[in-house]
Amino acid sequence: MLGFFVAVIAGYMTPQITEKLADPVIRTVARYITIAPAERPLVGWFLALLAAGVAAELLESGSPFWVVFGGVLGYFGKRIVAAAQKFINTGSNKY
């Protein structure tokens, strides 16, 4: 379960990880593969989940499913909460 929480944090920290690590990784692999500028956040998310997966393995906690699911929840967490709040606010006015 600890791996899941590590992955949630990693998903949430993806923008910061992208700022610091995505460009060096993109430059390193540029000779072998073309990565479009729009794919930069995806590289950051990949790095975040890779780190979360390594941490989950070192902590002997969390299956791959829960690591990926935690990363998705962390990455989209703010949008999920905003959508739920919007649903609650608009749904309560119908009745």
Side-chain angles (χ1 to χ4, degrees):
M1 194 67 175
L2 190 57
F4 171 77
F5 293 118
V6 169
V8 170
I9 293 168
Y12 182 77
M13 298 295 294
T14 295
Q16 292 81 5
I17 292 169
T18 300
E19 285 180 24
K20 305 287 184 199
L21 298 177
D23 289 334
V25 170
I26 290 170
R27 282 193 301 272
T28 301
V29 300
R31 292 186 293 169
Y32 309 106
I33 186 170
T34 303
I35 297 176
E39 295 172 323
R40 188 172 175 262
L42 180 62
V43 172
W45 189 66
F46 161 74
L47 293 170
L49 281 186
L50 184 63
V54 169
E57 184 63 28
L58 291 174
L59 295 168
E60 297 179 2
S61 173
S63 69
F65 171 80
W66 290 111
V67 170
V68 172
F69 187 64
V72 169
L73 285 180
Y75 187 80
F76 292 107
K78 289 181 184 178
R79 293 181 233 183
I80 292 169
V81 169
Q85 288 175 339
K86 183 178 178 182
F87 177 78
I88 290 168
N89 290 338
T90 59
S92 63
N93 293 336
K94 288 183 177 181
Y95 300 104

